[in-house]
Amino acid sequence: MRPGDLTATYSCPDCGTGPELDHGRPRYQLHGASAGFSPALSLSLSRSRGWALLAAGALTPAATVGIDLEHSSRVGFPGFDDVALTPAERQLLAVLPPNQADPWRTAVWARKEALLKARGTGLRLDPCSVEAFGEPTDGAVLVELDTAALGLPAGFAAALAVVGPA
């Protein structure tokens, strides 16, 4: 099929589904009808500062992917640590040199959002309850992506998560 034949729609557990949404898990329609892909695709989309990453995986129905792309300009605001980091993460941050703090925060946030997207909860779950560097108890696989290898400018962090049997 041609890309122009596809229309993106988004599905949010709180807001519903439809082409008017600009958030949630992406789905695609072909000429206005559900575009069935075989094997089933799990999709996740992230945008930041004019850049986007789309993760697509041919997975079992019980497995999902989550991807997140973040720029360091979004994590340096006062109070970020209190709303986004667990107590253990705040301790790790406290020993970093100041020039490494925002890149580290950016990587932590990308990891958390990728996990939350793959789990299907998104930010309906308090990010302070998610350990970005702990071993996931649900069998999730979480990897940081090499943003330079992806062709992104400096200041970005990205992570990919897969939850469930792949």
PDB file of all heavy atoms in Angstrom, residues 80-115:
ATOM      1  N   PHE A  80      11.188  19.349  38.521  1.00  0.00           N
ATOM      2  CA  PHE A  80      11.174  18.127  37.705  1.00  0.00           C
ATOM      3  C   PHE A  80      11.536  16.907  38.546  1.00  0.00           C
ATOM      4  O   PHE A  80      10.854  15.887  38.488  1.00  0.00           O
ATOM      5  CB  PHE A  80      12.139  18.243  36.515  1.00  0.00           C
ATOM      6  CG  PHE A  80      12.266  16.970  35.724  1.00  0.00           C
ATOM      7  CD1 PHE A  80      11.369  16.672  34.715  1.00  0.00           C
ATOM      8  CD2 PHE A  80      13.268  16.049  36.003  1.00  0.00           C
ATOM      9  CE1 PHE A  80      11.456  15.485  34.003  1.00  0.00           C
ATOM     10  CE2 PHE A  80      13.374  14.863  35.301  1.00  0.00           C
ATOM     11  CZ  PHE A  80      12.461  14.584  34.290  1.00  0.00           C
ATOM     12  N   ASP A  81      12.592  17.032  39.320  1.00  0.00           N
ATOM     13  CA  ASP A  81      13.063  15.886  40.106  1.00  0.00           C
ATOM     14  C   ASP A  81      11.977  15.382  41.060  1.00  0.00           C
ATOM     15  O   ASP A  81      11.821  14.174  41.249  1.00  0.00           O
ATOM     16  CB  ASP A  81      14.316  16.243  40.894  1.00  0.00           C
ATOM     17  CG  ASP A  81      15.473  16.651  39.991  1.00  0.00           C
ATOM     18  OD1 ASP A  81      15.378  16.462  38.755  1.00  0.00           O
ATOM     19  OD2 ASP A  81      16.466  17.173  40.521  1.00  0.00           O
ATOM     20  N   ASP A  82      11.196  16.301  41.627  1.00  0.00           N
ATOM     21  CA  ASP A  82      10.162  15.917  42.585  1.00  0.00           C
ATOM     22  C   ASP A  82       8.995  15.188  41.922  1.00  0.00           C
ATOM     23  O   ASP A  82       8.387  14.316  42.540  1.00  0.00           O
ATOM     24  CB  ASP A  82       9.629  17.148  43.323  1.00  0.00           C
ATOM     25  CG  ASP A  82      10.695  17.809  44.184  1.00  0.00           C
ATOM     26  OD1 ASP A  82      11.585  17.089  44.692  1.00  0.00           O
ATOM     27  OD2 ASP A  82      10.656  19.045  44.334  1.00  0.00           O
ATOM     28  N   VAL A  83       8.664  15.534  40.687  1.00  0.00           N
ATOM     29  CA  VAL A  83       7.513  14.909  40.028  1.00  0.00           C
ATOM     30  C   VAL A  83       7.898  13.718  39.163  1.00  0.00           C
ATOM     31  O   VAL A  83       7.037  12.924  38.785  1.00  0.00           O
ATOM     32  CB  VAL A  83       6.706  15.922  39.188  1.00  0.00           C
ATOM     33  CG1 VAL A  83       6.143  17.030  40.058  1.00  0.00           C
ATOM     34  CG2 VAL A  83       7.523  16.480  38.038  1.00  0.00           C
ATOM     35  N   ALA A  84       9.173  13.577  38.834  1.00  0.00           N
ATOM     36  CA  ALA A  84       9.555  12.553  37.866  1.00  0.00           C
ATOM     37  C   ALA A  84      10.464  11.462  38.409  1.00  0.00           C
ATOM     38  O   ALA A  84      10.497  10.374  37.849  1.00  0.00           O
ATOM     39  CB  ALA A  84      10.242  13.212  36.666  1.00  0.00           C
ATOM     40  N   LEU A  85      11.206  11.736  39.461  1.00  0.00           N
ATOM     41  CA  LEU A  85      12.230  10.794  39.910  1.00  0.00           C
ATOM     42  C   LEU A  85      11.836  10.098  41.209  1.00  0.00           C
ATOM     43  O   LEU A  85      11.232  10.698  42.102  1.00  0.00           O
ATOM     44  CB  LEU A  85      13.564  11.518  40.124  1.00  0.00           C
ATOM     45  CG  LEU A  85      14.134  12.268  38.923  1.00  0.00           C
ATOM     46  CD1 LEU A  85      15.446  12.945  39.300  1.00  0.00           C
ATOM     47  CD2 LEU A  85      14.303  11.369  37.720  1.00  0.00           C
ATOM     48  N   THR A  86      12.213   8.841  41.303  1.00  0.00           N
ATOM     49  CA  THR A  86      12.030   8.098  42.546  1.00  0.00           C
ATOM     50  C   THR A  86      13.084   8.576  43.553  1.00  0.00           C
ATOM     51  O   THR A  86      14.081   9.212  43.165  1.00  0.00           O
ATOM     52  CB  THR A  86      12.214   6.586  42.320  1.00  0.00           C
ATOM     53  OG1 THR A  86      13.576   6.337  41.968  1.00  0.00           O
ATOM     54  CG2 THR A  86      11.267   6.050  41.254  1.00  0.00           C
ATOM     55  N   PRO A  87      12.927   8.274  44.830  1.00  0.00           N
ATOM     56  CA  PRO A  87      13.967   8.640  45.802  1.00  0.00           C
ATOM     57  C   PRO A  87      15.343   8.063  45.431  1.00  0.00           C
ATOM     58  O   PRO A  87      16.359   8.751  45.558  1.00  0.00           O
ATOM     59  CB  PRO A  87      13.444   8.057  47.117  1.00  0.00           C
ATOM     60  CG  PRO A  87      11.957   8.082  46.953  1.00  0.00           C
ATOM     61  CD  PRO A  87      11.723   7.745  45.498  1.00  0.00           C
ATOM     62  N   ALA A  88      15.391   6.825  44.948  1.00  0.00           N
ATOM     63  CA  ALA A  88      16.675   6.223  44.569  1.00  0.00           C
ATOM     64  C   ALA A  88      17.295   6.971  43.383  1.00  0.00           C
ATOM     65  O   ALA A  88      18.513   7.167  43.338  1.00  0.00           O
ATOM     66  CB  ALA A  88      16.482   4.750  44.218  1.00  0.00           C
ATOM     67  N   GLU A  89      16.463   7.399  42.453  1.00  0.00           N
ATOM     68  CA  GLU A  89      16.988   8.150  41.297  1.00  0.00           C
ATOM     69  C   GLU A  89      17.490   9.524  41.724  1.00  0.00           C
ATOM     70  O   GLU A  89      18.501  10.004  41.206  1.00  0.00           O
ATOM     71  CB  GLU A  89      15.900   8.276  40.225  1.00  0.00           C
ATOM     72  CG  GLU A  89      15.601   6.949  39.557  1.00  0.00           C
ATOM     73  CD  GLU A  89      14.312   6.935  38.776  1.00  0.00           C
ATOM     74  OE1 GLU A  89      13.468   7.852  38.934  1.00  0.00           O
ATOM     75  OE2 GLU A  89      14.132   5.987  37.992  1.00  0.00           O
ATOM     76  N   ARG A  90      16.826  10.157  42.672  1.00  0.00           N
ATOM     77  CA  ARG A  90      17.309  11.451  43.177  1.00  0.00           C
ATOM     78  C   ARG A  90      18.667  11.291  43.855  1.00  0.00           C
ATOM     79  O   ARG A  90      19.528  12.164  43.758  1.00  0.00           O
ATOM     80  CB  ARG A  90      16.281  12.081  44.117  1.00  0.00           C
ATOM     81  CG  ARG A  90      15.079  12.642  43.351  1.00  0.00           C
ATOM     82  CD  ARG A  90      14.208  13.501  44.245  1.00  0.00           C
ATOM     83  NE  ARG A  90      13.473  12.732  45.216  1.00  0.00           N
ATOM     84  CZ  ARG A  90      12.230  12.294  45.074  1.00  0.00           C
ATOM     85  NH1 ARG A  90      11.567  12.568  43.970  1.00  0.00           N
ATOM     86  NH2 ARG A  90      11.650  11.607  46.032  1.00  0.00           N
ATOM     87  N   GLN A  91      18.890  10.150  44.533  1.00  0.00           N
ATOM     88  CA  GLN A  91      20.195   9.890  45.142  1.00  0.00           C
ATOM     89  C   GLN A  91      21.265   9.719  44.068  1.00  0.00           C
ATOM     90  O   GLN A  91      22.387  10.216  44.224  1.00  0.00           O
ATOM     91  CB  GLN A  91      20.132   8.649  46.029  1.00  0.00           C
ATOM     92  CG  GLN A  91      19.384   8.859  47.315  1.00  0.00           C
ATOM     93  CD  GLN A  91      19.327   7.601  48.160  1.00  0.00           C
ATOM     94  OE1 GLN A  91      19.545   6.493  47.676  1.00  0.00           O
ATOM     95  NE2 GLN A  91      19.028   7.769  49.434  1.00  0.00           N
ATOM     96  N   LEU A  92      20.951   9.007  42.994  1.00  0.00           N
ATOM     97  CA  LEU A  92      21.910   8.850  41.895  1.00  0.00           C
ATOM     98  C   LEU A  92      22.240  10.200  41.260  1.00  0.00           C
ATOM     99  O   LEU A  92      23.395  10.492  40.953  1.00  0.00           O
ATOM    100  CB  LEU A  92      21.354   7.905  40.831  1.00  0.00           C
ATOM    101  CG  LEU A  92      21.231   6.439  41.208  1.00  0.00           C
ATOM    102  CD1 LEU A  92      20.470   5.674  40.125  1.00  0.00           C
ATOM    103  CD2 LEU A  92      22.607   5.831  41.419  1.00  0.00           C
ATOM    104  N   LEU A  93      21.227  11.023  41.073  1.00  0.00           N
ATOM    105  CA  LEU A  93      21.422  12.342  40.472  1.00  0.00           C
ATOM    106  C   LEU A  93      22.305  13.224  41.349  1.00  0.00           C
ATOM    107  O   LEU A  93      23.137  13.979  40.842  1.00  0.00           O
ATOM    108  CB  LEU A  93      20.061  13.005  40.247  1.00  0.00           C
ATOM    109  CG  LEU A  93      20.072  14.427  39.717  1.00  0.00           C
ATOM    110  CD1 LEU A  93      20.712  14.480  38.326  1.00  0.00           C
ATOM    111  CD2 LEU A  93      18.650  14.983  39.671  1.00  0.00           C
ATOM    112  N   ALA A  94      22.160  13.115  42.653  1.00  0.00           N
ATOM    113  CA  ALA A  94      22.893  13.983  43.583  1.00  0.00           C
ATOM    114  C   ALA A  94      24.400  13.835  43.479  1.00  0.00           C
ATOM    115  O   ALA A  94      25.142  14.766  43.809  1.00  0.00           O
ATOM    116  CB  ALA A  94      22.440  13.703  45.019  1.00  0.00           C
ATOM    117  N   VAL A  95      24.906  12.689  43.010  1.00  0.00           N
ATOM    118  CA  VAL A  95      26.352  12.493  42.934  1.00  0.00           C
ATOM    119  C   VAL A  95      26.923  12.797  41.548  1.00  0.00           C
ATOM    120  O   VAL A  95      28.135  12.701  41.346  1.00  0.00           O
ATOM    121  CB  VAL A  95      26.747  11.053  43.355  1.00  0.00           C
ATOM    122  CG1 VAL A  95      26.337  10.794  44.794  1.00  0.00           C
ATOM    123  CG2 VAL A  95      26.158  10.022  42.421  1.00  0.00           C
ATOM    124  N   LEU A  96      26.070  13.189  40.609  1.00  0.00           N
ATOM    125  CA  LEU A  96      26.564  13.506  39.259  1.00  0.00           C
ATOM    126  C   LEU A  96      27.132  14.918  39.202  1.00  0.00           C
ATOM    127  O   LEU A  96      26.627  15.827  39.878  1.00  0.00           O
ATOM    128  CB  LEU A  96      25.424  13.407  38.243  1.00  0.00           C
ATOM    129  CG  LEU A  96      24.906  12.024  37.918  1.00  0.00           C
ATOM    130  CD1 LEU A  96      23.726  12.122  36.946  1.00  0.00           C
ATOM    131  CD2 LEU A  96      25.997  11.162  37.320  1.00  0.00           C
ATOM    132  N   PRO A  97      28.150  15.125  38.370  1.00  0.00           N
ATOM    133  CA  PRO A  97      28.620  16.490  38.134  1.00  0.00           C
ATOM    134  C   PRO A  97      27.494  17.311  37.491  1.00  0.00           C
ATOM    135  O   PRO A  97      26.685  16.758  36.735  1.00  0.00           O
ATOM    136  CB  PRO A  97      29.789  16.318  37.164  1.00  0.00           C
ATOM    137  CG  PRO A  97      30.176  14.881  37.250  1.00  0.00           C
ATOM    138  CD  PRO A  97      28.951  14.134  37.651  1.00  0.00           C
ATOM    139  N   PRO A  98      27.423  18.605  37.776  1.00  0.00           N
ATOM    140  CA  PRO A  98      26.326  19.436  37.252  1.00  0.00           C
ATOM    141  C   PRO A  98      26.148  19.362  35.726  1.00  0.00           C
ATOM    142  O   PRO A  98      25.028  19.387  35.237  1.00  0.00           O
ATOM    143  CB  PRO A  98      26.708  20.850  37.689  1.00  0.00           C
ATOM    144  CG  PRO A  98      27.549  20.650  38.903  1.00  0.00           C
ATOM    145  CD  PRO A  98      28.304  19.368  38.668  1.00  0.00           C
ATOM    146  N   ASN A  99      27.247  19.229  34.976  1.00  0.00           N
ATOM    147  CA  ASN A  99      27.127  19.197  33.518  1.00  0.00           C
ATOM    148  C   ASN A  99      26.522  17.889  33.005  1.00  0.00           C
ATOM    149  O   ASN A  99      26.150  17.785  31.836  1.00  0.00           O
ATOM    150  CB  ASN A  99      28.476  19.457  32.852  1.00  0.00           C
ATOM    151  CG  ASN A  99      29.488  18.356  33.116  1.00  0.00           C
ATOM    152  OD1 ASN A  99      29.443  17.672  34.143  1.00  0.00           O
ATOM    153  ND2 ASN A  99      30.410  18.177  32.191  1.00  0.00           N
ATOM    154  N   GLN A 100      26.414  16.879  33.859  1.00  0.00           N
ATOM    155  CA  GLN A 100      25.807  15.606  33.464  1.00  0.00           C
ATOM    156  C   GLN A 100      24.365  15.454  33.933  1.00  0.00           C
ATOM    157  O   GLN A 100      23.680  14.492  33.564  1.00  0.00           O
ATOM    158  CB  GLN A 100      26.640  14.436  33.998  1.00  0.00           C
ATOM    159  CG  GLN A 100      28.006  14.332  33.379  1.00  0.00           C
ATOM    160  CD  GLN A 100      28.799  13.178  33.970  1.00  0.00           C
ATOM    161  OE1 GLN A 100      28.266  12.307  34.641  1.00  0.00           O
ATOM    162  NE2 GLN A 100      30.100  13.190  33.723  1.00  0.00           N
ATOM    163  N   ALA A 101      23.887  16.404  34.740  1.00  0.00           N
ATOM    164  CA  ALA A 101      22.563  16.272  35.357  1.00  0.00           C
ATOM    165  C   ALA A 101      21.439  16.251  34.317  1.00  0.00           C
ATOM    166  O   ALA A 101      20.590  15.353  34.344  1.00  0.00           O
ATOM    167  CB  ALA A 101      22.342  17.373  36.378  1.00  0.00           C
ATOM    168  N   ASP A 102      21.386  17.234  33.426  1.00  0.00           N
ATOM    169  CA  ASP A 102      20.276  17.271  32.466  1.00  0.00           C
ATOM    170  C   ASP A 102      20.331  16.140  31.445  1.00  0.00           C
ATOM    171  O   ASP A 102      19.278  15.557  31.142  1.00  0.00           O
ATOM    172  CB  ASP A 102      20.173  18.636  31.793  1.00  0.00           C
ATOM    173  CG  ASP A 102      19.491  19.664  32.689  1.00  0.00           C
ATOM    174  OD1 ASP A 102      18.924  19.277  33.743  1.00  0.00           O
ATOM    175  OD2 ASP A 102      19.507  20.860  32.339  1.00  0.00           O
ATOM    176  N   PRO A 103      21.496  15.773  30.897  1.00  0.00           N
ATOM    177  CA  PRO A 103      21.504  14.596  30.028  1.00  0.00           C
ATOM    178  C   PRO A 103      21.027  13.328  30.750  1.00  0.00           C
ATOM    179  O   PRO A 103      20.305  12.506  30.169  1.00  0.00           O
ATOM    180  CB  PRO A 103      22.966  14.466  29.589  1.00  0.00           C
ATOM    181  CG  PRO A 103      23.503  15.852  29.683  1.00  0.00           C
ATOM    182  CD  PRO A 103      22.797  16.466  30.867  1.00  0.00           C
ATOM    183  N   TRP A 104      21.381  13.180  32.018  1.00  0.00           N
ATOM    184  CA  TRP A 104      20.943  12.021  32.789  1.00  0.00           C
ATOM    185  C   TRP A 104      19.435  12.065  33.010  1.00  0.00           C
ATOM    186  O   TRP A 104      18.744  11.063  32.840  1.00  0.00           O
ATOM    187  CB  TRP A 104      21.691  11.970  34.118  1.00  0.00           C
ATOM    188  CG  TRP A 104      21.421  10.735  34.905  1.00  0.00           C
ATOM    189  CD1 TRP A 104      22.051   9.526  34.792  1.00  0.00           C
ATOM    190  CD2 TRP A 104      20.445  10.582  35.938  1.00  0.00           C
ATOM    191  NE1 TRP A 104      21.522   8.624  35.686  1.00  0.00           N
ATOM    192  CE2 TRP A 104      20.533   9.250  36.400  1.00  0.00           C
ATOM    193  CE3 TRP A 104      19.498  11.431  36.515  1.00  0.00           C
ATOM    194  CZ2 TRP A 104      19.717   8.759  37.417  1.00  0.00           C
ATOM    195  CZ3 TRP A 104      18.697  10.934  37.522  1.00  0.00           C
ATOM    196  CH2 TRP A 104      18.814   9.615  37.958  1.00  0.00           C
ATOM    197  N   ARG A 105      18.908  13.238  33.391  1.00  0.00           N
ATOM    198  CA  ARG A 105      17.454  13.384  33.566  1.00  0.00           C
ATOM    199  C   ARG A 105      16.720  13.031  32.270  1.00  0.00           C
ATOM    200  O   ARG A 105      15.673  12.380  32.300  1.00  0.00           O
ATOM    201  CB  ARG A 105      17.107  14.822  33.952  1.00  0.00           C
ATOM    202  CG  ARG A 105      17.382  15.207  35.362  1.00  0.00           C
ATOM    203  CD  ARG A 105      16.918  16.660  35.596  1.00  0.00           C
ATOM    204  NE  ARG A 105      17.184  17.083  36.940  1.00  0.00           N
ATOM    205  CZ  ARG A 105      18.223  17.864  37.287  1.00  0.00           C
ATOM    206  NH1 ARG A 105      19.082  18.293  36.387  1.00  0.00           N
ATOM    207  NH2 ARG A 105      18.387  18.204  38.548  1.00  0.00           N
ATOM    208  N   THR A 106      17.261  13.481  31.158  1.00  0.00           N
ATOM    209  CA  THR A 106      16.633  13.230  29.863  1.00  0.00           C
ATOM    210  C   THR A 106      16.577  11.734  29.576  1.00  0.00           C
ATOM    211  O   THR A 106      15.546  11.210  29.137  1.00  0.00           O
ATOM    212  CB  THR A 106      17.402  13.964  28.740  1.00  0.00           C
ATOM    213  OG1 THR A 106      17.558  15.335  29.108  1.00  0.00           O
ATOM    214  CG2 THR A 106      16.656  13.885  27.418  1.00  0.00           C
ATOM    215  N   ALA A 107      17.671  11.028  29.845  1.00  0.00           N
ATOM    216  CA  ALA A 107      17.700   9.577  29.623  1.00  0.00           C
ATOM    217  C   ALA A 107      16.728   8.856  30.555  1.00  0.00           C
ATOM    218  O   ALA A 107      16.029   7.924  30.140  1.00  0.00           O
ATOM    219  CB  ALA A 107      19.121   9.043  29.818  1.00  0.00           C
ATOM    220  N   VAL A 108      16.656   9.286  31.801  1.00  0.00           N
ATOM    221  CA  VAL A 108      15.730   8.686  32.759  1.00  0.00           C
ATOM    222  C   VAL A 108      14.300   8.864  32.274  1.00  0.00           C
ATOM    223  O   VAL A 108      13.502   7.922  32.274  1.00  0.00           O
ATOM    224  CB  VAL A 108      15.910   9.298  34.171  1.00  0.00           C
ATOM    225  CG1 VAL A 108      14.752   8.936  35.085  1.00  0.00           C
ATOM    226  CG2 VAL A 108      17.222   8.849  34.772  1.00  0.00           C
ATOM    227  N   TRP A 109      13.963  10.073  31.853  1.00  0.00           N
ATOM    228  CA  TRP A 109      12.593  10.342  31.414  1.00  0.00           C
ATOM    229  C   TRP A 109      12.242   9.525  30.160  1.00  0.00           C
ATOM    230  O   TRP A 109      11.140   8.971  30.073  1.00  0.00           O
ATOM    231  CB  TRP A 109      12.386  11.825  31.159  1.00  0.00           C
ATOM    232  CG  TRP A 109      10.954  12.139  30.912  1.00  0.00           C
ATOM    233  CD1 TRP A 109      10.382  12.509  29.738  1.00  0.00           C
ATOM    234  CD2 TRP A 109       9.887  12.078  31.864  1.00  0.00           C
ATOM    235  NE1 TRP A 109       9.030  12.683  29.896  1.00  0.00           N
ATOM    236  CE2 TRP A 109       8.705  12.419  31.202  1.00  0.00           C
ATOM    237  CE3 TRP A 109       9.831  11.748  33.221  1.00  0.00           C
ATOM    238  CZ2 TRP A 109       7.469  12.457  31.833  1.00  0.00           C
ATOM    239  CZ3 TRP A 109       8.591  11.785  33.849  1.00  0.00           C
ATOM    240  CH2 TRP A 109       7.440  12.144  33.160  1.00  0.00           C
ATOM    241  N   ALA A 110      13.162   9.422  29.228  1.00  0.00           N
ATOM    242  CA  ALA A 110      12.908   8.618  28.021  1.00  0.00           C
ATOM    243  C   ALA A 110      12.669   7.155  28.394  1.00  0.00           C
ATOM    244  O   ALA A 110      11.763   6.505  27.857  1.00  0.00           O
ATOM    245  CB  ALA A 110      14.077   8.745  27.044  1.00  0.00           C
ATOM    246  N   ARG A 111      13.453   6.627  29.311  1.00  0.00           N
ATOM    247  CA  ARG A 111      13.281   5.235  29.742  1.00  0.00           C
ATOM    248  C   ARG A 111      11.916   5.032  30.407  1.00  0.00           C
ATOM    249  O   ARG A 111      11.198   4.069  30.118  1.00  0.00           O
ATOM    250  CB  ARG A 111      14.398   4.837  30.712  1.00  0.00           C
ATOM    251  CG  ARG A 111      15.776   4.740  30.057  1.00  0.00           C
ATOM    252  CD  ARG A 111      16.878   4.529  31.090  1.00  0.00           C
ATOM    253  NE  ARG A 111      16.780   3.224  31.720  1.00  0.00           N
ATOM    254  CZ  ARG A 111      17.397   2.126  31.284  1.00  0.00           C
ATOM    255  NH1 ARG A 111      18.169   2.186  30.214  1.00  0.00           N
ATOM    256  NH2 ARG A 111      17.259   0.982  31.921  1.00  0.00           N
ATOM    257  N   LYS A 112      11.535   5.949  31.287  1.00  0.00           N
ATOM    258  CA  LYS A 112      10.254   5.826  31.983  1.00  0.00           C
ATOM    259  C   LYS A 112       9.090   5.881  30.998  1.00  0.00           C
ATOM    260  O   LYS A 112       8.170   5.066  31.060  1.00  0.00           O
ATOM    261  CB  LYS A 112      10.089   6.937  33.019  1.00  0.00           C
ATOM    262  CG  LYS A 112      10.955   6.740  34.237  1.00  0.00           C
ATOM    263  CD  LYS A 112      10.712   7.841  35.245  1.00  0.00           C
ATOM    264  CE  LYS A 112      11.681   7.706  36.391  1.00  0.00           C
ATOM    265  NZ  LYS A 112      11.031   7.646  37.689  1.00  0.00           N
ATOM    266  N   GLU A 113       9.115   6.846  30.101  1.00  0.00           N
ATOM    267  CA  GLU A 113       7.999   6.973  29.156  1.00  0.00           C
ATOM    268  C   GLU A 113       7.929   5.791  28.206  1.00  0.00           C
ATOM    269  O   GLU A 113       6.831   5.337  27.874  1.00  0.00           O
ATOM    270  CB  GLU A 113       8.093   8.285  28.377  1.00  0.00           C
ATOM    271  CG  GLU A 113       7.484   9.437  29.131  1.00  0.00           C
ATOM    272  CD  GLU A 113       6.794  10.413  28.215  1.00  0.00           C
ATOM    273  OE1 GLU A 113       5.684  10.120  27.741  1.00  0.00           O
ATOM    274  OE2 GLU A 113       7.393  11.473  27.982  1.00  0.00           O
ATOM    275  N   ALA A 114       9.057   5.271  27.753  1.00  0.00           N
ATOM    276  CA  ALA A 114       9.025   4.096  26.882  1.00  0.00           C
ATOM    277  C   ALA A 114       8.373   2.914  27.609  1.00  0.00           C
ATOM    278  O   ALA A 114       7.528   2.215  27.044  1.00  0.00           O
ATOM    279  CB  ALA A 114      10.436   3.734  26.412  1.00  0.00           C
ATOM    280  N   LEU A 115       8.753   2.711  28.870  1.00  0.00           N
ATOM    281  CA  LEU A 115       8.153   1.633  29.665  1.00  0.00           C
ATOM    282  C   LEU A 115       6.653   1.833  29.859  1.00  0.00           C
ATOM    283  O   LEU A 115       5.857   0.904  29.689  1.00  0.00           O
ATOM    284  CB  LEU A 115       8.824   1.540  31.039  1.00  0.00           C
ATOM    285  CG  LEU A 115      10.071   0.690  31.146  1.00  0.00           C
ATOM    286  CD1 LEU A 115      10.728   0.881  32.509  1.00  0.00           C
ATOM    287  CD2 LEU A 115       9.754  -0.771  30.904  1.00  0.00           C
TER     288      LEU A 115
END
